[in-house]
Amino acid sequence: MMKQYQMRLQEMKKQKEELSLAEKLFDLPVTSYPELVSVDEELNRLNLIYSLYNDHQQTVLRWSNMLWVELQLNGLVTGSEDFQRRLKKLPKELKNMGAFLKLEEKILAFRESIPLIQSLKSEAVRPRHWQKLMEVTGIQFDANMKTLTLNKVFEMELHRFAETIDDIASAASQEMKIESQLQKIEEAWRHQ
């Protein structure tokens, strides 16, 4: 859509040039078209935001196809930090624009989901915990860790359920400790 607006603006600029030449040819005062200048500046500002938005969307799409078992959290962390840095580098006059605020919200939500993804990546989180997470988020999928893609995890919008996910991950960790202790007790009893 941004391309369409840019093409339309280029057409208008070309038309302005032609009109300006015609005005000069007939010795008329050249019209300045301040609205066109204003639209050009606004479109350039929006393009900075859209470019970052598009890069973020493409990166998340690429990550979405990654299998859960192949997930390397360092890549997500590094990528997320890079988008945060790029967002902060945008000119100050953009920071009150609605498009900027939406992009900032999207990048922050993604960044906030990374520690939650890290919690879910724990070996303590078992299929029963995933089932509980599906119930809470309302997103259903096959909890087979060998076929689960990051896309399904992204669809859950984890940042909206941070406290619940922390509770589930904490419970999973505690359950794993209990299971480990029970196994040790069982081993000790077998060897007596």
Side-chain angles (χ1 to χ4, degrees), residues 43-102:
L43 198 55
N44 286 333
R45 287 191 296 268
L46 287 171
N47 195 43
L48 291 173
I49 296 169
Y50 179 74
S51 177
L52 182 56
Y53 169 81
N54 194 41
D55 288 351
H56 186 262
Q57 288 297 98
Q58 293 301 317
T59 301
V60 170
L61 181 64
R62 191 177 70 247
W63 287 334
S64 293
N65 295 320
M66 189 181 305
L67 291 173
W68 181 255
V69 294
E70 295 174 356
L71 172 62
Q72 297 295 319
L73 286 166
N74 290 343
L76 288 180
V77 170
T78 303
S80 176
E81 288 172 351
D82 179 53
F83 284 111
Q84 186 74 34
R85 223 179 349 269
R86 288 175 59 191
L87 185 70
K88 286 183 178 182
K89 284 184 178 181
L90 289 177
K92 287 184 181 183
E93 66 265 10
L94 302 181
K95 297 188 178 182
N96 289 326
M97 295 177 74
F100 176 88
L101 297 173
K102 285 289 186 187

Side-chain angles (χ1 to χ4, degrees), residues 93-128:
E93 66 265 10
L94 302 181
K95 297 188 178 182
N96 289 326
M97 295 177 74
F100 176 88
L101 297 173
K102 285 289 186 187
L103 177 59
E104 181 179 43
E105 180 181 311
K106 191 168 198 62
I107 289 174
L108 281 172
F110 184 81
R111 188 167 181 163
E112 288 171 5
S113 70
I114 292 176
L116 303 172
I117 291 171
Q118 192 168 17
S119 294
L120 294 173
K121 191 73 172 135
S122 166
E123 66 183 35
V125 178
R126 306 269 166 73
R128 66 181 177 267

